[in-house]
Amino acid sequence: MAETPKPVSDELDDLFIGSGNTGSRFSVPAIRRRHISHIEVVICLVFLGYGIANELATSYPLLYMSLKAAPNASLFVNRNTTMCIPYHLLPKPNVTVPSPTQHGISPVAWIAIANSAYILPSAFFSMIYAVWSDQYRSRRTFLIMSTTGILIQIIGYIITIATISSPSGLIIGNVISGVLGGYPTFLFCCYAYVIDLNSQSSRTTRFVFIQLAQLLTQGVATIAGEQWAKYHGYVPPLVLSAVVVAIAIFYTWYLLEAPNVKASIYDMKRTSEYAADICKNIACFFKTVFKSRDNKVHYYLVWTIIVFISLSMIGFFEIINLYLSGYPYCWQIDKVLIYDGGREIAMGAGAVIGWILFKGCFSELTIAGIGITLMIAENIMISVATDSGVLFGSIAVGAIGGVTLPCLLSILSKLVDEDEQGILFCFVALVQLIIAMIGLPSFLGIFMATRMVNPASVFIVMAAILAVPKIIVWVLSFIECRQTNG
């Protein structure tokens, strides 16, 4: 009698975590039977490791010539940390900057090239993996794959920096990580995993804790990465980041519970037909994102809110360090990092506090609106403040704003089918990457254009941008109220 073949989704799980058969070479120890489902642990480990590594790898091209001249020197120690940028007295920036590298490529250009070598392949391949993940309903396969790519990327950083090689050495690891899915694949796997395991009623709570895990570890990485490198060089913190990501792979492989969601025969057959055709996978991805829906107005309005909020948040993270380094604050780099990292940690904690305070009283959309209001207030406080006490006080005001994005992502996930969640959150990650590429030069341009009049003007622009999603929240709330009251 012929043996009944296993579903492909079972085979994928067996490949990475074992079938439980002691005769299999992929069998796992008894510890795997704990069935731990806390994806937040994986997020903490990966964002901590990758955050430290990315922070240092981004600054490496800027310090490459100094390291080459004095390999054993402590980093950042000789930097003039008391320099104040008098914005009111600055002339127009000179865009012609002589290159300090022997290859004639400026450090900024190396950073752009290395980032492009990561972003472009990760964006392309993550779309394909999202389609496969939704059809096979196997999240951990692609979670382990993308995390392994991040580990390879960090190892590439270690080799390049330890040997003080050209910044071009960073590109190889970035490309490999991008081909294995990178950040977009990791992100969609985490969110889709939560959706596969949790009901709609508990989904937002898990998203809030994902936000806490992400912002908490980003804040720690912001402070710890450069501070450690400042006195001990690049290599020790990079080695630690590699170890942390390796632990994340081990945790996912042996401990993380597999969602009890299996693909249907139809889904697996459809995916096998698409797998060999890249064009069909990409077409399927965009057709799913933009397909006609019964609630399409609600769907696209929520997307608009997410885009504007992401634009303002990314602009804030990129500009605040430059702003605090100059007039009127003239903060040293250590104090700037403490503020930046502390704000991220506060927003993560604020997401949890805000959700606990408001979830029993208001809808997710209303809570998101409250968060947007407080983020607007934070930007206005920074734009008018000239005292450090007010500046640190703005952190407390804007902290509850951390609950905004989890609520919106939860609303968005409920507007699409359960077998489209991977594609949905992959598109969320791609939108964030696109906004980062557009937002940084845009806000930097606004900052440079207004710095001699009022360097805080850029934060007024951010508050104005946040006013758009606030108005849309009002409109959606009005529509929901009318529908509720008949």
Side-chain angles (χ1 to χ4, degrees):
M1 184 175 178
E3 183 181 356
T4 303
K6 277 188 175 183
V8 178
S9 53
D10 280 343
E11 293 178 357
L12 287 173
D13 281 343
D14 288 350
L15 176 63
F16 282 98
I17 57 171
S19 61
N21 182 356
T22 55
S24 169
R25 66 190 181 96
F26 293 111
S27 60
V28 297
I31 191 174
R32 175 64 188 85
R33 302 275 73 83
R34 288 178 177 267
H35 298 305
I36 300 175
S37 61
H38 297 298
I39 192 71
E40 294 86 356
V41 176
V42 180
I43 295 172
C44 281
L45 292 170
V46 171
F47 271 90
L48 178 62
Y50 185 65
I52 293 175
N54 191 58
E55 187 84 16
L56 298 180
T58 302
S59 62
Y60 176 70
L62 301 173
L63 298 171
Y64 168 61
M65 295 305 293
S66 299
L67 286 170
K68 192 173 182 181
N72 298 320
S74 296
L75 301 179
F76 312 114
V77 169
N78 295 324
R79 182 193 299 176
N80 184 5
T81 57
T82 61
M83 180 186 67
C84 182
I85 305 175
Y87 296 121
H88 292 271
L89 304 178
L90 281 179
K92 292 184 178 180
N94 181 9
V95 296
T96 305
V97 180
S99 170
T101 67
Q102 61 180 353
H103 302 287
I105 301 178
S106 69
V108 175
W110 274 125
I111 294 172
I113 292 171
N115 288 341
S116 299
Y118 172 71
I119 292 173
L120 295 178
S122 66
F124 178 79
F125 284 99
S126 64
M127 291 188 286
I128 299 173
Y129 300 149
V131 174
W132 293 353
S133 175
D134 278 343
Q135 300 305 329
Y136 286 124
R137 304 302 291 274
S138 180
R139 311 300 184 188
R140 286 182 308 154
T141 302
F142 300 98
L143 185 62
I144 291 174
M145 185 173 68
S146 60
T147 309
T148 302
I150 291 172
L151 177 60
I152 294 173
Q153 185 179 8
I154 296 174
I155 292 173
Y157 293 165
I158 295 173
I159 295 173
T160 301
I161 295 173
T163 58
I164 316 180
S165 302
S166 166
S168 60
L170 304 175
I171 296 175
I172 299 175
N174 285 5
V175 171
I176 295 174
S177 180
V179 170
L180 292 178
Y183 169 77
T185 299
F186 178 80
L187 187 75
F188 85 67
C189 286
C190 292
Y191 278 99
Y193 176 88
V194 167
I195 291 170
D196 289 344
L197 276 178
N198 293 268
S199 62
Q200 289 192 2
S201 60
S202 62
R203 184 176 299 175
T204 310
T205 301
R206 293 298 298 272
F207 284 4
V208 165
F209 280 103
I210 286 178
Q211 180 85 334
L212 171 64
Q214 181 176 343
L215 290 176
L216 176 65
T217 49
Q218 280 182 347
V220 173
T222 299
I223 298 172
E226 186 167 326
Q227 288 298 304
W228 195 351
K230 177 178 179 179
Y231 298 105
H232 302 286
Y234 271 87
V235 176
L238 283 174
V239 171
L240 173 67
S241 65
V243 171
V244 168
V245 174
I247 293 173
I249 296 173
F250 171 83
Y251 179 94
T252 306
W253 190 333
Y254 283 100
L255 299 177
L256 195 66
E257 178 184 358
N260 190 25
V261 180
K262 300 301 178 184
S264 67
I265 298 299
Y266 170 75
D267 287 334
M268 290 185 288
K269 181 179 179 182
R270 182 173 56 168
T271 306
S272 63
E273 293 172 353
Y274 275 57
D277 193 329
I278 293 177
C279 294
K280 282 186 178 180
N281 282 281
I282 301 298
C284 177
F285 180 89
F286 285 105
K287 284 180 181 178
T288 302
V289 172
F290 297 107
K291 78 176 185 180
S292 179
R293 304 175 188 274
D294 295 336
N295 47 13
K296 64 179 180 180
V297 174
H298 198 167
Y299 176 77
Y300 286 117
L301 285 178
V302 174
W303 265 118
T304 305
I305 296 172
I306 291 174
V307 167
F308 276 92
I309 289 175
S310 299
L311 179 61
S312 177
M313 290 179 66
I314 289 173
F316 188 98
F317 286 134
E318 297 295 345
I319 295 299
I320 189 65
N321 291 356
L322 180 60
Y323 172 69
L324 295 177
S325 298
Y327 178 85
Y329 295 102
C330 301
W331 282 5
Q332 296 182 4
I333 187 65
D334 292 349
K335 191 173 181 180
V336 171
L337 290 175
I338 291 173
Y339 175 89
D340 192 14
R343 181 181 179 272
E344 289 182 298
I345 295 171
M347 286 195 73
V352 177
I353 295 171
W355 179 243
I356 293 173
L357 289 176
F358 300 132
K359 69 175 181 177
C361 308
F362 304 110
S363 66
E364 293 166 337
L365 186 62
T366 303
I367 296 173
I370 294 172
I372 295 172
T373 301
L374 293 173
M375 290 168 68
I376 293 174
E378 178 188 22
N379 279 281
I380 293 175
M381 285 181 66
I382 294 174
S383 67
V384 300
T386 56
D387 180 76
S388 297
V390 177
L391 198 64
F392 277 102
S394 68
I395 295 179
V397 173
I400 303 295
V403 77
T404 304
L405 204 55
C407 288
L408 293 171
L409 293 177
S410 179
I411 294 171
L412 193 62
S413 70
K414 296 171 185 176
L415 298 175
V416 303
D417 296 333
E418 295 299 308
D419 61 349
E420 298 173 350
Q421 300 296 329
I423 292 175
L424 172 69
F425 285 100
C426 180
F427 193 66
V428 169
L430 294 181
V431 167
Q432 290 177 348
L433 287 178
I434 294 171
I435 289 175
M437 290 188 292
I438 296 174
L440 174 58
S442 299
F443 284 109
L444 185 59
I446 294 172
F447 178 76
M448 296 301 290
T450 60
R451 73 188 190 279
M452 288 184 285
V453 178
N454 179 10
S457 298
V458 66
F459 299 103
I460 300 176
V461 174
M462 294 176 192
I465 290 173
L466 286 170
V468 176
K470 181 62 181 178
I471 293 172
I472 297 176
V473 168
W474 282 338
V475 172
L476 287 175
S477 299
F478 177 73
I479 294 174
E480 289 184 357
C481 184
R482 290 193 61 182
Q483 291 175 345
T484 303
N485 296 330

